[in-house]
Amino acid sequence: MDLYQLLRQDHLKAKRLFERLGEVAEAATKTRERLFQELKQELERHTELEEKHFYPALERHDEARELVGESLEEHDEIGLLIDALDQAEQEGGDWAMRLAELQEEVEFHIDEEETELFPQAQELLAASEAEAIAQAIARDKAAAKEK
Ligand SMILES: [Fe+2]
Ligand SMILES: [Fe+2]
């Protein structure tokens, strides 16, 4: 299993969820809530798995430390925006604007990972190490599904 392909699959899934959320009418509250909860779970799980398995391996290399630091900050920002959106959902305000903010932040982060962080990781991590990380991520994902 290819690590970068695995992570890109998650990115694509998040992008598709944003697209579907954008198509849902304001009035379709239940569908919107369901899609948002799916997106939230997806993003939280993805960032958590990257932080647990992928980023620490990269951080061992000095060259990667700056980019990993930026990525961690972006994960935090994404987490805050998700929480704000969850709150807005409950209160019924500002939803579309907050969704657009989250989408922008997530797409920026995904783009940065795919165009800067992944290429750097491909240079720094041995193929066997990347493979082991991919397996650890897949294992955690499978375990989470069983719950
Ligand atoms: Fe990330
Ligand atoms: Fe990612």
Side-chain angles (χ1 to χ4, degrees):
M1 185 184 325
D2 182 75
L3 170 64
Y4 309 102
Q5 220 171 307
L6 185 71
L7 296 173
R8 276 172 206 270
Q9 274 173 15
D10 281 355
H11 293 171
L12 197 61
K13 199 169 173 188
K15 282 184 180 173
R16 293 224 172 102
L17 281 167
F18 274 115
E19 274 169 26
R20 286 170 65 195
L21 267 167
E23 287 162 4
V24 175
E26 282 284 316
T29 319
K30 272 193 181 152
T31 311
R32 206 176 67 171
E33 177 60 16
R34 185 176 51 77
L35 285 172
F36 172 65
Q37 289 305 325
E38 198 182 329
L39 175 71
K40 177 182 164 167
Q41 195 186 43
E42 194 54 42
L43 289 174
E44 286 177 348
R45 195 167 287 170
H46 177 80
T47 51
E48 195 185 303
L49 289 173
E50 281 182 339
E51 287 178 26
K52 184 176 170 193
H53 299 293
F54 180 41
Y55 291 179
L58 265 179
E59 263 183 325
R60 276 181 228 122
H61 302 269
D62 288 345
E63 308 95 300
R65 220 158 274 162
E66 197 181 319
L67 259 186
V68 173
E70 280 174 26
S71 286
L72 285 168
E73 277 173 27
E74 286 159 20
H75 280 190
D76 286 347
E77 184 61 31
I78 288 167
L80 289 174
L81 290 170
I82 289 173
D83 290 344
L85 200 51
D86 221 353
Q87 206 66 27
E89 180 67 42
Q90 283 155 22
E91 290 160 12
D94 291 354
W95 208 81
M97 193 194 77
R98 286 174 190 272
L99 180 70
E101 258 175 20
L102 176 65
Q103 181 168 12
E104 198 179 324
E105 183 69 27
V106 169
E107 283 178 356
F108 174 83
H109 177 66
I110 285 176
D111 199 51
E112 199 169 67
E113 283 192 333
E114 294 188 356
T115 62
E116 293 179 48
L117 194 73
F118 290 3
Q120 194 174 41
Q122 276 170 311
E123 275 179 31
L124 295 171
L125 303 180
S128 60
E129 195 178 1
E131 171 76 25
I133 295 168
Q135 278 173 9
I137 290 176
R139 205 167 45 231
D140 276 6
K141 275 189 171 198
K145 259 187 204 150
E146 277 166 23
K147 272 181 203 160

